[in-house]
Amino acid sequence: VIEGLKFQMSNSRHRESLLQYQRPMLEDGEIEFETWYEPDAYEVFPTLGRTALIFKPDGVFRHRMTNSPYETDGLAIDNLEPLAISPVSLVPKDWNHVRIVLEGELLRLYVNREEVASLTIDEPSVERHFGLFRYANLTQCRVRNVLYRGQWPKQLPPPESQFLAP
């Protein structure tokens, strides 16, 4: 179980927290996990690169990660862009199943085995790191049973075509 405690802050600014797996999703694949959900107490959301998929009972939103407190592009730390304004079936005070599926440039989000949103990813494949996002000063988090499946190559490519080839 991965647990994140609530961070106590003296000011009211949001504090973005991101735990990231450092192998990018270079190939098509899927990642699934279970998260304990209690509204405004235990919440955590999947990310791919700098895109967090925030799901609430009233819909799904895209949050673009900032460089706070060093943000120079004017991106608000609490930015949200609606992706799907339809109910998401979350079960309070219970483990909820979350899955993201990447196929080419299309990312789909499933919550409790129901597709709730999809979007086109505009980030380069080498920056498509999976992560877990939350506002650390607002909520705690619990995650378990993380599973990553992908269409990985069965053999190495010739040296001249490898990513780090001279």
Side-chain angles (χ1 to χ4, degrees):
V1 174
I2 300 169
E3 294 192 55
L5 301 177
K6 188 173 177 181
F7 185 78
Q8 302 300 322
M9 293 178 59
S10 58
N11 63 25
S12 62
R13 288 182 48 92
H14 290 318
R15 181 180 176 123
E16 293 174 308
S17 175
L18 179 65
L19 176 64
Q20 225 172 22
Y21 181 58
Q22 290 303 307
R23 183 204 185 273
M25 291 184 77
L26 297 171
E27 308 85 11
D28 291 351
E30 63 182 65
I31 297 175
E32 61 183 283
F33 61 91
E34 294 176 311
T35 179
W36 184 261
Y37 174 69
E38 286 184 41
D40 302 320
Y42 284 87
E43 296 179 351
V44 69
F45 310 102
T47 66
L48 193 61
R50 296 179 60 92
T51 299
L53 301 173
I54 310 294
F55 49 87
K56 302 280 186 177
D58 61 345
V60 180
F61 306 85
R62 170 191 273 187
H63 169 73
R64 294 191 185 266
M65 301 292 294
T66 69
N67 293 317
S68 181
Y70 309 104
E71 180 62 43
T72 58
D73 294 334
L75 193 58
I77 197 164
D78 59 352
N79 71 83
L80 290 177
E81 171 189 338
L83 288 177
I85 307 299
S86 59
V88 177
S89 299
L90 289 165
V91 182
K93 296 188 178 182
D94 201 355
W95 292 99
N96 288 259
H97 185 265
V98 177
R99 181 169 65 122
I100 62 169
V101 176
L102 180 64
E103 295 172 335
E105 307 300 311
L106 181 66
L107 180 65
R108 294 179 310 191
L109 171 67
Y110 296 82
V111 177
N112 293 324
R113 293 170 177 69
E114 179 180 325
E115 185 172 355
V116 295
S118 65
L119 70 149
T120 301
I121 296 295
D122 55 2
E123 300 190 35
S125 60
V126 296
E127 295 177 14
R128 294 178 180 175
H129 299 277
F130 167 74
L132 298 168
F133 167 81
R134 69 187 173 106
Y135 287 111
N137 62 312
L138 300 178
T139 65
Q140 299 181 70
C141 73
R142 285 187 190 139
V143 173
R144 70 179 186 187
N145 299 327
V146 180
L147 181 62
Y148 180 11
R149 292 187 206 82
Q151 302 300 318
W152 299 298
K154 303 295 185 229
Q155 61 186 19
L156 289 173
E160 63 274 3
S161 64
Q162 292 181 15
F163 182 67
L164 297 176

